[in-house]
């Protein structure tokens, strides 16, 4: 059984920083892409940042230059360093991991979400 668990959300003032973590655990054979999404009530979930197994990254335009995604393959963990936070970054942040459990094919796993609130 595979679990994906996020941590690190919270309340921060504008221009502050937070670091989110997301760890995949269980019977994992291989991990491909790891991603961070966010969602605010009434809006679609949007991609914030992605990192492939080779370390290549992509970012939403709204976070470029402020957020940094990274991963530790030995720990099956992905991070999102968020700097210069703005009130419009307030959302529930979700981790998504594309991985193959032992004996099975690749599939998406979602974390439970972690709230990030940025006050002005």
């Amino acid at each position: 059984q595979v679990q994906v668990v996020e941590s690190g959300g919270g309340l921060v003032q504008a221009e502050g920083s937070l670091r989110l973590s997301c760890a995949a655990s269980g019977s994992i054979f291989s991990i491909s892409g790891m991603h961070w999404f966010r969602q605010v009530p009434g809006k679609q979930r949007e991609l914030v940042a992605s990192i492939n197994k080779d370390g290549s990254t992509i970012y939403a335009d709204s976070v470029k230059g402020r957020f940094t995604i990274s991963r530790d393959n030995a720990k099956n963990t992905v991070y999102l360093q968020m700097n210069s936070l703005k009130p419009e970054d307030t959302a529930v942040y979700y981790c998504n991991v594309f991985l193959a459990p032992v004996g099975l094919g690749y599939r998406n796993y979602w974390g439970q979400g972690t709230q990030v609130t940025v006050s002005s």
Side-chain angles (χ1 to χ4, degrees):
Q1 193 161 354
V2 173
Q3 283 190 316
V4 174
V5 179
E6 301 116 336
S7 60
L11 173 64
V12 65
Q13 289 188 329
E15 296 304 315
S17 297
L18 280 175
R19 188 192 196 208
L20 306 183
S21 300
C22 169
S25 61
S27 299
I28 298 170
F29 174 71
S30 179
I31 297 178
S32 180
M34 306 181 85
H35 318 278
W36 287 99
F37 288 77
R38 66 186 181 187
Q39 188 170 25
V40 297
K43 291 191 176 182
Q44 282 191 329
R45 193 170 294 188
E46 65 171 355
L47 178 66
V48 176
S50 293
I51 185 166
N52 288 327
K53 194 168 185 177
D54 63 2
S56 59
T57 59
I58 60 170
Y59 295 92
D61 287 344
S62 59
V63 307
K64 280 180 182 175
R66 300 188 298 122
F67 291 11
T68 302
I69 190 170
S70 60
R71 64 191 280 172
D72 184 333
N73 291 327
K75 296 181 179 179
N76 292 339
T77 300
V78 61
Y79 305 96
L80 187 67
Q81 178 66 43
M82 304 184 294
N83 298 329
S84 302
L85 282 160
K86 305 176 181 180
E88 51 264 43
D89 294 317
T90 295
V92 177
Y93 284 70
Y94 295 91
C95 175
N96 174 272
V97 182
F98 190 58
L99 64 84
V102 173
L104 299 172
Y106 280 91
R107 58 200 63 193
N108 276 308
Y109 287 85
W110 289 92
Q112 80 284 359
T114 185
Q115 177 70 46
V116 171
T117 302
V118 184
S119 63
S120 56

